[in-house]
Amino acid sequence: MSTPFNVRQAAVIGAGTMGRGIVISLARAGLPVLWLDNDPSATEAGLAMLAQTWAQQVTKGRIDQAEADACLARVCAAGAYADLADVDLVIEAVYENLALKQDIFRTLDRTLNAQAILASNTSALDIDAIAAVTGRPEQVLGLHFFSPAHVMKLLEVVRGARTSPAVIDAARALGQRIGKEVVVAGNCPGFIGNRMLATYVAEARKLLLEGATPRQVDEALQAFGMAMGPFRMYDVVGIDLEWRARQLAGTGMEAPLVQVDNALCEQGRFGQKSGQGYYRYAPGSREAEHDPEVDALVFKVAQGLGMHRRTIDDEEIRERCLLALVNEGAKILEESVADCSADIDRVYLHGYGFPAALGGPMHWADQQGLSLLLARLERLQGLFGEHWRPAGLLMRLVAEGKQLADVREGRA
Ligand code: NAD
C-alpha cells in the first residue's frame, strides 16, 4: 500500500563528492533520480563518473551491461528547481554552509509538492535551523551519508525537533532499501559520529602540539586496531574541507588546535587529492609515506604557539584519544542523541573504522570496567583540566553497578 511517504522518485542537489555517491546508491537500488547543481559542468562530470563507475563494475563482473545501462538511465540532470516539483524526496549535498543550505531549503519548500521529504547531508549543521526556514519542518531531516557514499555502509538518519515519526520510518526504509546500516541520531553539532570524532581529533591535535608526530599518533591508534589513524583519515577525507568551512563561516581560524591544518592547507597540502597532506603520496598511489617536512611544520607551529614539547608515549596517545571518544559517547547517550549504546557502536564500526573485534567504543568501555574507566577519566581531569570531567551518566552507572549497554533512551 502506498503511504504518504513512499519514496518513488528522488532528487539530489549537489554533484560533488557526496552527491555522486548518493546518486549511485539511490540509482543502484532502482530509484529514479533527478540531479541538480548550480554548476551544470559539475552534473555533467558527475554523470561521466557514474558511467565510468558502472562500466568498471561490468568489467569486474559484478553487474551485467543491461544493469549498468538501467542504472545510468535512472539518473537525469535537472536544469531548474521547477523540474523537481513532483519528487518524493530530495537530498541536498552542497557546500557545508548554513545560509546556503537555508536558501536551498526555502526554494525547495516553495517548489516541491507538499508531501515531499526534504533531507540534508550536512555533516554537523543544525537540522532545526534548516527546517525552520520551511513550512514543513515535520518533513525535514538529516540523511548523513559517509564518504564515499556508495561504499560506506553507515547512514545516520538525523531527527530534528519536529521531524515526524512517519518521516523517520520512511528514511529508515529508504536506508534499508539502499543497503545501509541505519542509525537514528538526535540533532546536535556533529550528531553521533562527528560529535564523538571532534573530541577524539581534538586530543590527537593536542598531542601533536605537545610533542607527538602525525605518524606516531596514527600508528599508536592503528596498533589498537583503528582502520586508520586520525591524520591518515584527514588525508583521505581532505584537510581542506574543514578549512574551507571555517573560512566560509568566518570563525574558528584562530583556534590553536587547527593551526597545523591551516598551515598545511595554505601550502596546498589538502591530503591524498593533492598528493600531499599529513603524508606524501607517490603519483597515482594512496600509500601514505612519512614526510619529515610535516614533522618540521608541526614543530614550528607548536613553537609559534609557545608550546613546550615533550616525549609522548603511545600509551598516552591511546588513553587520551580513546577515552575522549568514550566520554563523549556517554554524554551522547545521556542526552538521548543515541537511543542505546549499541547504536553508537554501529556508527563507529560502520562509519569510522573502529576495530570490529572490540565491538565498538561503548562495548569496549563496558569491557574495560566502568569504575576503572571512571578513575582513568578522573586522572586525566586532574592532569589536563575540566574538559575531561566524566559524563554524569558514567558516574551514575558506576554507582548503580550498571553498564552503558543497560541504557535505553537516556535511562538505565
Ligand atoms: P563538494 O564541494 O564536493 O560538492 C558540493 C557541490 O555543491 C558542488 O558540485 C557545487 O557546485 C554544488 N553547489 C554549491 N552551491 C550550490 C547551489 N547553490 N545549488 C546547487 N549546487 C550547489 O562537497 P561534498 O564533499 O560533496 O559535501 C557536500 C555536503 O556533504 C556538505 O554539507 C558536507 O559537509 C557533507 N558531507 C561531506 C562528506 C565528505 O567526506 N566529503 C561526508 C559527509 C557529509
Side-chain angles (χ1 to χ4, degrees):
M1 200 184 77
S2 162
T3 74
F5 298 118
N6 198 3
V7 178
R8 288 152 302 199
Q9 165 79 60
V12 172
I13 317 279
T17 312
M18 295 308 290
R20 292 172 182 199
I22 296 168
V23 168
I24 293 175
S25 301
L26 297 172
R28 193 171 54 189
L31 268 167
V33 187
L34 289 169
W35 203 3
L36 182 70
D37 196 292
N38 65 344
D39 172 4
S41 71
T43 349
E44 237 169 75
L47 283 166
M49 180 264 186
L50 261 53
Q52 195 190 7
T53 303
W54 282 315
Q56 280 166 356
Q57 301 272 301
V58 174
T59 311
K60 289 179 184 162
R62 295 200 182 132
I63 57 173
D64 61 23
Q65 189 58 48
E67 175 68 9
D69 293 344
C71 284
L72 200 55
R74 286 185 198 115
V75 185
C76 274
Y81 282 91
D83 299 343
L84 315 183
D86 295 325
V87 305
D88 306 303
L89 164 79
V90 58
I91 304 174
E92 163 278 311
V94 306
Y95 303 136
E96 185 76 339
N97 178 267
L98 182 61
L100 174 64
K101 289 186 192 283
Q102 285 175 322
D103 251 6
I104 288 174
F105 274 69
R106 269 189 209 100
T107 309
L108 290 170
D109 190 39
R110 263 200 318 273
T111 327
L112 268 55
N113 79 77
Q115 295 296 325
I117 296 174
L118 312 183
S120 174
N121 181 51
T122 175
S123 310
L125 296 173
D126 182 358
I127 295 297
D128 292 334
I130 297 174
V133 302
T134 74
R136 58 178 98 184
E138 65 290 346
Q139 283 160 238
V140 176
L141 80 170
L143 285 180
H144 184 209
F145 290 79
F146 289 70
S147 183
H150 57 299
V151 177
M152 296 292 286
K153 289 292 277 182
L154 181 64
L155 175 64
E156 276 185 318
V157 168
V158 186
R159 187 176 43 209
R162 295 182 59 189
T163 314
S164 81
V167 167
I168 296 293
D169 287 347
R172 216 192 270 274
L174 175 82
Q176 279 155 2
R177 178 172 173 190
I178 64 176
K180 298 296 183 196
E181 189 76 30
V182 179
V183 175
V184 177
N187 179 35
C188 64
F191 320 125
I192 296 175
N194 283 344
R195 172 168 160 185
M196 286 169 70
L197 186 75
T199 60
Y200 167 85
V201 167
E203 279 315 306
R205 285 172 167 162
K206 277 179 212 160
L207 286 156
L208 280 198
L209 298 179
E210 290 172 28
T213 64
R215 181 166 70 162
Q216 189 198 357
V217 173
D218 284 347
E219 286 181 354
L221 290 161
Q222 285 158 203
F224 173 78
M226 297 299 288
M228 220 182 267
F231 299 111
R232 271 187 61 204
M233 183 200 72
Y234 263 81
D235 269 4
V236 172
V237 171
I239 308 170
D240 58 315
L241 293 191
E242 288 185 6
W243 179 62
R244 285 184 214 286
R246 285 193 287 278
Q247 284 175 328
L248 271 174
T251 58
M253 279 312 257
E254 306 305 321
L257 288 190
V258 298
Q259 294 315 311
V260 172
D261 288 48
N262 287 354
L264 289 169
C265 289
E266 279 155 20
Q267 293 181 13
R269 300 189 68 127
F270 298 152
Q272 276 186 7
K273 62 175 136 183
S274 59
Q276 45 181 8
Y278 276 101
Y279 296 88
R280 62 182 174 210
Y281 302 85
S285 165
R286 291 184 183 166
E287 194 68 40
E289 291 173 23
H290 176 232
D291 189 345
E293 277 182 30
V294 175
D295 295 346
L297 181 141
V298 167
F299 185 82
K300 194 170 150 216
V301 168
Q303 254 193 339
L305 290 166
M307 302 289 299
H308 297 289
R309 286 171 67 79
R310 62 186 168 87
T311 303
I312 291 178
D313 63 26
D314 292 356
E315 211 35 65
E316 178 176 347
I317 293 171
R318 286 189 280 270
E319 182 77 353
R320 286 172 58 182
C321 292
L322 295 167
L323 291 202
L325 198 62
V326 165
N327 200 30
E328 197 64 26
K331 291 177 191 171
I332 279 172
L333 204 52
E334 186 170 23
E335 295 166 25
S336 298
V337 169
D339 291 341
C340 59
S341 67
D343 278 357
I344 298 178
D345 286 338
R346 286 197 296 132
V347 167
Y348 264 77
L349 293 173
H350 298 287
Y352 294 86
F354 196 90
L358 300 178
M362 300 288 109
H363 182 76
W364 176 76
D366 277 340
Q367 297 305 303
Q368 298 288 296
L370 285 194
S371 54
L372 182 64
L373 196 109
L374 184 60
R376 284 158 65 184
L377 282 167
E378 284 167 347
R379 179 182 153 272
L380 289 169
Q381 185 184 7
L383 285 172
F384 299 109
E386 272 311 284
H387 75 280
W388 278 106
R389 174 179 289 281
L393 176 71
L394 284 174
M395 300 197 215
R396 190 154 54 77
L397 291 175
V398 168
E400 292 170 6
K402 290 181 177 164
Q403 294 200 317
L404 290 160
D406 297 321
V407 182
R408 289 284 174 285
E409 293 174 7
R411 283 188 294 277

